Structure formats: structure tokens, C-alpha cells
Amino acid sequence: MLNLNFKAAVLFRQNSKLKIINIRPQDYLDKGQILIKIMYSGICGSQIGEISGVKGKDKFLPHLLGHEATGIVKKIGPDVKNFKISDKVILHWKTSRGINSKNPYYFYKKTKINSGKVTTFSEYSIVSENRLSKIPKGINFKNGVIFGCAATTGFGIVNRDVKIKKNESALVFGCGGVGLNIIQAAAINKAYPIIVIDQFKKRLNFSKKHGATHCIVFKKNFKELEKKINAIIVKNKLNYFIDTTGNTKIIEFGFKTINAKNGKLVLVGVQKQKEKMSINTLPLLLGKKIIGTYGGNCKPYVDIVKINKLFKLNKINLDSFYTKIYSLNKINKAISDMKNGKIQGRCLIKMH
């Protein structure tokens, strides 16, 4: 019997603030489910997209959110084999080894609160076994959060999806958590130049610490942006244009900007469901490519350890990715600060 009541941030309506409430879980753990005490949670652009309805109408309201966190195993459901009580774990949305359990559910008074197979905006969470990995030795709860999404996605895009090589040119549009890790991975691979574009100057300055070689502040003027890019790199010689924004105008611009013979436009961000875009398909026949990524095709049980080794080898301080920590009660403030460019790198929600 799960005799628990705990605090959670729940989405009741799209385009509204999350409600901080006390909820209780289902009575028992089902096959493959694990009860986790959440220590720290990250906030990804995906959650901001869920709140604002980027993918359209949400059929599962009210529900929990979050897919990147660290925690401690407190209870184990039937048939779980990969974890034991007190294990320190990373929570991630990409599937790993173990059982793919049913979605859990919770209650607020008499209202049912829906949940996916992993959620992290709460003090405790019931998580599917295959959405967990053990924290590598030497990594603490705070620094482990980045391996839940931002690092595995960013490094997966660079090393698995597009395989950026030494002296290849890359442009990253948007330097949030995933963008920063794309930049970092490209820098480790010795790409050059690494051009980073964002609307917030403070975020661009932060990206320089993680491998950006050239930074451009962008508001709305694409003609001016084109001039600035051409001043850095010969026109139409850009190897990779990686978009993390999902903005259709930026995607169209990216397709025009890449190398005519073998340039790759890489789509990371999700466009709004109702938005449309237009491209000339002839360049696709002549060599340009459009590549979509699904979390960098990450395999958590392999990639978390591999990326951690890369960080150690390149003497990267994981603390440098985190610039602000909020309490769960302040999660709406954290979301607002992210949207308004007040956070550089990744912010964290401290649960305990």
C-alpha cells in the first residue's frame, strides 16, 4: 500500500500556470513500476511546449509534467530486476532496459491526475523501470539531471544523428539546455566555426563558455542575419544548421542557408501544430538534407556512461551548466524566467 501524500506541480489548463497541490498516488505499484523520491528536476523546452499547447489540444488534463531528474528508489513493483531500494537513479524520457509499465495515476481530492511513464515535477513519482538508469559513480544528484535529456539529446544529435567532424561548420539556433549540449559536443569534435544565434545576449555570452566561436543576437531581421553569417562563413558553405526553436521562419531560413551540395538542416524543436512552412524541394534532389531527431536517438544505458567519460576527458565542470535553483513552490517563476531569457544554461527544481 502506497500511503503517501506529497506536493506536485500539475497542469490543469493549457496556457495557464501549474497548480502546486498535494496529491496521493494509486494504492499499489503495478508490474514494472518503481516509486522514486525526486531530488532534483530539470525543466526542458518540451514542458514549456506542453503548457502552451504546441502540439495542439491536450486530451489528458489534468496531468503531471517533467522528464529529466534524479532521485532515490523507495519501493519496487512486481518483476523489476534492474533496480533495488536505495539505488540512486537518473530519470529520462527515452526508453532504456527493463519493463515498459502501465502509466501510473494520482488523485487530488476526488480528481484523477494523469501521468506518463516518467514525470518529475513532484516530490515523489511512480516511474516505469525502462525510464531509469543508475547514476554513474562520481556524479551527484544535482549534476546527474543533465543526463536525463539535455546532454544525451545534444550529444546524440552531434555524434549519432549527423556525426559532425573536425573543421565542419555548424550553426545552432537557440542555446537553451539542449542547444548548449549540441554546442559542447560540436566543440569536443573540433567543429569550426560554431555559430550560435539567440535572441538573448546573456545566453549567447554563456554559450561562449561551452564552445561557441561566434555569437549573433537575432530579433526579426533575416536579411541582416544572412549578412552576419556570410561575414563568418562563405555563402552557402554551411555544413549544419541545427534548429532548436521549432520556429517555421527560422527553419525555412536554415534550409536556404546550408551548403547546396551536402548541407544538413537538423530539426530539434517542435513547430506549432497550426503553423505551416514552405520550401523548394529541388535543393533536396541536388544534395541538401533535412534530418529530424528523436532525442538524439539516445540509448540511456550506453550513452549516459559514454557522455560522462567525455565530460571527464575534456575536463568539463558539470556545475557550470546550472545557474539557478528553485523550490517546487517557485516552479512557475522558473518557467517564466526560462521563457524570458533570464536563465543561462539549465535551471533546477530542488524537491528535498
Side-chain angles (χ1 to χ4, degrees), residues 260-288:
K261 291 183 179 179
N262 58 11
K264 294 180 177 67
L265 170 63
V266 185
L267 306 181
V268 183
V270 179
Q271 74 178 77
K272 291 180 180 178
Q273 191 179 55
K274 294 182 180 180
E275 286 188 353
K276 298 183 184 301
M277 61 182 179
S278 175
I279 62 168
N280 181 350
T281 58
L282 178 60
L284 289 170
L285 306 179
L286 300 176
K288 287 189 180 185

Side-chain angles (χ1 to χ4, degrees), residues 183-338:
I183 295 161
Q184 185 73 73
I188 288 173
N189 288 8
K190 299 183 179 178
Y192 187 87
I194 301 171
I195 304 167
V196 181
I197 303 173
D198 199 281
Q199 62 178 317
F200 300 111
K201 190 172 182 179
K202 286 185 178 180
R203 298 209 317 185
L204 288 168
N205 290 336
F206 191 79
S207 75
K208 291 178 182 178
K209 300 176 183 179
H210 295 275
T213 63
H214 299 77
C215 293
I216 301 171
V217 176
F218 172 77
K219 297 299 181 182
K220 293 181 179 179
N221 193 329
F222 282 101
K223 287 186 178 180
E224 186 65 27
L225 178 60
E226 185 177 13
K227 289 179 182 178
K228 290 180 179 180
I229 293 170
N230 289 339
I232 299 167
I233 196 167
V234 177
K235 187 175 181 180
N236 292 331
K237 293 295 181 183
L238 180 67
N239 296 121
Y240 303 98
F241 188 110
I242 305 171
D243 175 66
T244 70
T245 69
N247 183 301
T248 53
K249 297 299 180 186
I250 292 170
I251 294 169
E252 290 173 355
F253 175 78
F255 188 67
K256 293 175 183 177
T257 306
I258 54 175
N259 189 316
K261 291 183 179 179
N262 58 11
K264 294 180 177 67
L265 170 63
V266 185
L267 306 181
V268 183
V270 179
Q271 74 178 77
K272 291 180 180 178
Q273 191 179 55
K274 294 182 180 180
E275 286 188 353
K276 298 183 184 301
M277 61 182 179
S278 175
I279 62 168
N280 181 350
T281 58
L282 178 60
L284 289 170
L285 306 179
L286 300 176
K288 287 189 180 185
K289 290 181 173 61
I290 300 175
I291 297 171
T293 183
Y294 186 62
N297 283 305
C298 163
K299 299 176 182 178
Y301 61 94
V302 172
D303 291 336
I304 288 173
V305 174
K306 187 183 293 185
I307 295 166
N308 185 41
K309 286 180 180 177
L310 274 175
F311 281 142
K312 286 182 178 178
L313 186 65
N314 289 276
K315 298 179 181 178
I316 293 166
N317 179 11
L318 291 176
D319 282 321
S320 68
F321 286 104
Y322 305 109
T323 55
K324 200 159 185 181
I325 297 176
Y326 300 79
S327 69
L328 182 56
N329 286 332
K330 297 292 184 180
I331 193 168
N332 287 306
K333 168 67 171 163
I335 291 168
S336 175
D337 286 350
M338 283 181 67

Side-chain angles (χ1 to χ4, degrees), residues 154-172 182-183 185-194 239-242 264 266:
F155 276 74
I157 289 165
V158 169
N159 294 311
R160 185 170 281 126
D161 288 334
V162 297
K163 299 179 174 64
I164 295 178
K165 298 179 179 63
K166 182 178 180 180
N167 292 328
E168 288 189 314
S169 53
L171 185 154
V172 181
I182 293 169
I183 295 161
I188 288 173
N189 288 8
K190 299 183 179 178
Y192 187 87
I194 301 171
N239 296 121
Y240 303 98
F241 188 110
I242 305 171
K264 294 180 177 67
V266 185

